[in-house]
mmCIF file of all heavy atoms in Angstrom:
data_model
loop_
_atom_site.group_PDB
_atom_site.id
_atom_site.type_symbol
_atom_site.label_atom_id
_atom_site.label_comp_id
_atom_site.label_asym_id
_atom_site.label_seq_id
_atom_site.Cartn_x
_atom_site.Cartn_y
_atom_site.Cartn_z
ATOM 1 N N ALA U 21 65.749 100.713 88.743
ATOM 2 C CA ALA U 21 66.124 99.935 89.918
ATOM 3 C C ALA U 21 65.470 100.525 91.147
ATOM 4 O O ALA U 21 66.034 100.390 92.250
ATOM 5 C CB ALA U 21 67.629 99.901 90.101
ATOM 6 N N VAL U 22 64.279 101.102 91.071
ATOM 7 C CA VAL U 22 63.709 101.774 92.235
ATOM 8 C C VAL U 22 62.358 101.136 92.501
ATOM 9 O O VAL U 22 61.565 100.905 91.646
ATOM 10 C CB VAL U 22 63.541 103.287 91.920
ATOM 11 C CG1 VAL U 22 62.794 103.936 93.054
ATOM 12 C CG2 VAL U 22 64.883 103.891 91.700
ATOM 13 N N ASN U 55 86.190 94.444 86.790
ATOM 14 C CA ASN U 55 86.832 95.413 85.960
ATOM 15 C C ASN U 55 86.145 95.670 84.651
ATOM 16 O O ASN U 55 85.975 94.784 83.859
ATOM 17 C CB ASN U 55 88.252 94.860 85.592
ATOM 18 C CG ASN U 55 89.295 95.901 85.241
ATOM 19 O OD1 ASN U 55 88.851 97.091 85.003
ATOM 20 N ND2 ASN U 55 90.494 95.570 85.169
ATOM 21 N N MET U 60 80.332 103.208 85.887
ATOM 22 C CA MET U 60 80.884 104.468 85.412
ATOM 23 C C MET U 60 81.651 104.117 84.088
ATOM 24 O O MET U 60 82.080 105.082 83.475
ATOM 25 C CB MET U 60 81.777 105.072 86.428
ATOM 26 C CG MET U 60 82.961 104.109 86.875
ATOM 27 S SD MET U 60 83.882 104.951 88.100
ATOM 28 C CE MET U 60 84.914 103.664 88.633
ATOM 29 N N HIS U 79 79.717 105.854 93.870
ATOM 30 C CA HIS U 79 80.796 106.138 94.775
ATOM 31 C C HIS U 79 80.313 106.614 96.125
ATOM 32 O O HIS U 79 81.075 106.486 97.116
ATOM 33 C CB HIS U 79 81.837 107.023 94.182
ATOM 34 C CG HIS U 79 81.419 108.492 94.153
ATOM 35 N ND1 HIS U 79 80.576 109.045 93.221
ATOM 36 C CD2 HIS U 79 81.578 109.443 95.083
ATOM 37 C CE1 HIS U 79 80.317 110.286 93.477
ATOM 38 N NE2 HIS U 79 80.924 110.585 94.613
ATOM 39 N N THR U 80 79.130 107.149 96.182
ATOM 40 C CA THR U 80 78.682 107.718 97.488
ATOM 41 C C THR U 80 78.230 106.586 98.343
ATOM 42 O O THR U 80 77.961 106.805 99.499
ATOM 43 C CB THR U 80 77.495 108.648 97.265
ATOM 44 O OG1 THR U 80 76.550 108.046 96.435
ATOM 45 C CG2 THR U 80 77.935 109.939 96.740
ATOM 46 N N ASP U 81 78.123 105.319 97.887
ATOM 47 C CA ASP U 81 77.799 104.196 98.717
ATOM 48 C C ASP U 81 78.972 103.665 99.445
ATOM 49 O O ASP U 81 78.869 102.772 100.271
ATOM 50 C CB ASP U 81 77.188 103.057 97.878
ATOM 51 C CG ASP U 81 75.911 103.494 97.289
ATOM 52 O OD1 ASP U 81 75.258 104.365 97.755
ATOM 53 O OD2 ASP U 81 75.530 102.888 96.192
ATOM 54 N N ARG U 91 91.152 104.053 117.437
ATOM 55 C CA ARG U 91 91.549 105.476 117.654
ATOM 56 C C ARG U 91 92.021 105.720 119.061
ATOM 57 O O ARG U 91 91.717 105.000 120.032
ATOM 58 C CB ARG U 91 90.180 106.298 117.492
ATOM 59 C CG ARG U 91 89.809 106.536 116.118
ATOM 60 C CD ARG U 91 88.616 107.496 116.033
ATOM 61 N NE ARG U 91 88.215 107.648 114.572
ATOM 62 C CZ ARG U 91 88.729 108.590 113.875
ATOM 63 N NH1 ARG U 91 89.588 109.474 114.300
ATOM 64 N NH2 ARG U 91 88.310 108.701 112.606
ATOM 65 N N VAL U 95 90.796 111.408 120.036
ATOM 66 C CA VAL U 95 90.116 111.649 118.741
ATOM 67 C C VAL U 95 88.907 110.769 118.610
ATOM 68 O O VAL U 95 88.547 110.501 117.396
ATOM 69 C CB VAL U 95 91.072 111.460 117.574
ATOM 70 C CG1 VAL U 95 92.018 112.616 117.464
ATOM 71 C CG2 VAL U 95 91.847 110.236 117.601
ATOM 72 N N SER U 102 90.347 117.753 115.777
ATOM 73 C CA SER U 102 91.437 116.972 116.102
ATOM 74 C C SER U 102 92.746 117.736 116.224
ATOM 75 O O SER U 102 93.804 117.277 116.568
ATOM 76 C CB SER U 102 91.661 115.872 115.085
ATOM 77 O OG SER U 102 91.775 116.345 113.837
ATOM 78 N N TYR U 114 106.349 110.128 118.809
ATOM 79 C CA TYR U 114 107.820 110.342 118.645
ATOM 80 C C TYR U 114 108.624 109.875 119.818
ATOM 81 O O TYR U 114 109.684 109.382 119.665
ATOM 82 C CB TYR U 114 108.142 111.781 118.198
ATOM 83 C CG TYR U 114 107.484 112.234 116.942
ATOM 84 C CD1 TYR U 114 107.181 113.515 116.646
ATOM 85 C CD2 TYR U 114 107.342 111.269 115.970
ATOM 86 C CE1 TYR U 114 106.643 113.900 115.433
ATOM 87 C CE2 TYR U 114 106.750 111.619 114.676
ATOM 88 C CZ TYR U 114 106.379 112.945 114.501
ATOM 89 O OH TYR U 114 105.887 113.307 113.276
ATOM 90 N N LEU A 167 69.265 108.665 90.683
ATOM 91 C CA LEU A 167 70.049 107.438 90.581
ATOM 92 C C LEU A 167 70.928 107.558 89.355
ATOM 93 O O LEU A 167 72.167 107.136 89.301
ATOM 94 C CB LEU A 167 69.211 106.249 90.587
ATOM 95 C CG LEU A 167 68.692 105.886 91.959
ATOM 96 C CD1 LEU A 167 67.642 104.774 91.828
ATOM 97 C CD2 LEU A 167 69.762 105.474 92.903
ATOM 98 N N GLY A 174 79.713 109.059 88.645
ATOM 99 C CA GLY A 174 80.728 107.983 88.902
ATOM 100 C C GLY A 174 81.820 108.058 87.781
ATOM 101 O O GLY A 174 82.908 107.598 88.002
ATOM 102 N N ASP A 183 85.002 113.863 96.418
ATOM 103 C CA ASP A 183 84.041 113.401 97.378
ATOM 104 C C ASP A 183 84.566 112.377 98.368
ATOM 105 O O ASP A 183 84.338 112.422 99.519
ATOM 106 C CB ASP A 183 82.894 112.698 96.603
ATOM 107 C CG ASP A 183 81.671 113.586 96.407
ATOM 108 O OD1 ASP A 183 81.657 114.609 97.063
ATOM 109 O OD2 ASP A 183 80.782 113.234 95.668
ATOM 110 N N GLY A 201 74.436 112.150 98.326
ATOM 111 C CA GLY A 201 73.833 111.117 99.260
ATOM 112 C C GLY A 201 73.996 109.694 98.613
ATOM 113 O O GLY A 201 74.220 109.519 97.432
ATOM 114 N N SER A 203 73.076 105.871 97.366
ATOM 115 C CA SER A 203 71.950 105.449 96.490
ATOM 116 C C SER A 203 70.816 104.868 97.291
ATOM 117 O O SER A 203 69.663 104.938 96.900
ATOM 118 C CB SER A 203 72.425 104.460 95.456
ATOM 119 O OG SER A 203 72.929 103.340 96.080
ATOM 120 N N ARG A 207 66.750 105.870 97.014
ATOM 121 C CA ARG A 207 65.579 105.024 96.821
ATOM 122 C C ARG A 207 64.545 105.071 97.931
ATOM 123 O O ARG A 207 63.426 104.759 97.689
ATOM 124 C CB ARG A 207 66.160 103.557 96.786
ATOM 125 C CG ARG A 207 66.972 103.182 95.579
ATOM 126 C CD ARG A 207 67.490 101.802 95.723
ATOM 127 N NE ARG A 207 68.946 101.725 95.451
ATOM 128 C CZ ARG A 207 69.436 101.299 94.331
ATOM 129 N NH1 ARG A 207 68.668 100.868 93.380
ATOM 130 N NH2 ARG A 207 70.755 101.339 94.156
ATOM 131 N N ARG A 267 85.654 116.595 113.120
ATOM 132 C CA ARG A 267 87.081 116.046 113.314
ATOM 133 C C ARG A 267 87.675 115.676 112.034
ATOM 134 O O ARG A 267 87.056 114.942 111.246
ATOM 135 C CB ARG A 267 86.920 114.816 114.245
ATOM 136 C CG ARG A 267 88.141 113.995 114.368
ATOM 137 C CD ARG A 267 87.846 112.666 114.980
ATOM 138 N NE ARG A 267 86.979 111.848 114.116
ATOM 139 C CZ ARG A 267 86.260 110.781 114.539
ATOM 140 N NH1 ARG A 267 86.483 110.371 115.747
ATOM 141 N NH2 ARG A 267 85.575 110.113 113.779
ATOM 142 N N PHE A 268 88.915 116.128 111.834
ATOM 143 C CA PHE A 268 89.646 115.618 110.621
ATOM 144 C C PHE A 268 90.504 114.430 111.024
ATOM 145 O O PHE A 268 91.092 114.451 111.996
ATOM 146 C CB PHE A 268 90.579 116.890 110.235
ATOM 147 C CG PHE A 268 91.454 116.556 109.021
ATOM 148 C CD1 PHE A 268 91.039 116.867 107.781
ATOM 149 C CD2 PHE A 268 92.653 115.958 109.194
ATOM 150 C CE1 PHE A 268 91.856 116.630 106.723
ATOM 151 C CE2 PHE A 268 93.473 115.728 108.177
ATOM 152 C CZ PHE A 268 93.052 116.042 106.884
ATOM 153 N N ASP A 277 91.514 100.715 90.120
ATOM 154 C CA ASP A 277 90.893 100.081 89.071
ATOM 155 C C ASP A 277 91.922 100.196 87.863
ATOM 156 O O ASP A 277 92.034 101.242 87.301
ATOM 157 C CB ASP A 277 89.567 100.761 88.695
ATOM 158 C CG ASP A 277 88.830 100.082 87.510
ATOM 159 O OD1 ASP A 277 89.435 99.222 86.885
ATOM 160 O OD2 ASP A 277 87.705 100.426 87.283
ATOM 161 N N ASP A 435 104.363 118.393 109.236
ATOM 162 C CA ASP A 435 104.181 117.278 110.159
ATOM 163 C C ASP A 435 102.787 117.063 110.559
ATOM 164 O O ASP A 435 102.477 116.664 111.710
ATOM 165 C CB ASP A 435 105.096 117.527 111.366
ATOM 166 C CG ASP A 435 105.334 116.156 112.086
ATOM 167 O OD1 ASP A 435 105.216 115.109 111.442
ATOM 168 O OD2 ASP A 435 105.681 116.167 113.250
#
Side-chain angles (χ1 to χ4, degrees):
Chain U
V22 174
N55 201 348
M60 64 183 166
H79 75 276
T80 47
D81 294 336
R91 283 185 180 270
V95 286
S102 57
Y114 293 153
Chain A
L167 286 172
D183 259 350
S203 60
R207 288 176 232 257
R267 166 195 66 192
F268 177 94
D277 184 351
D435 200 21

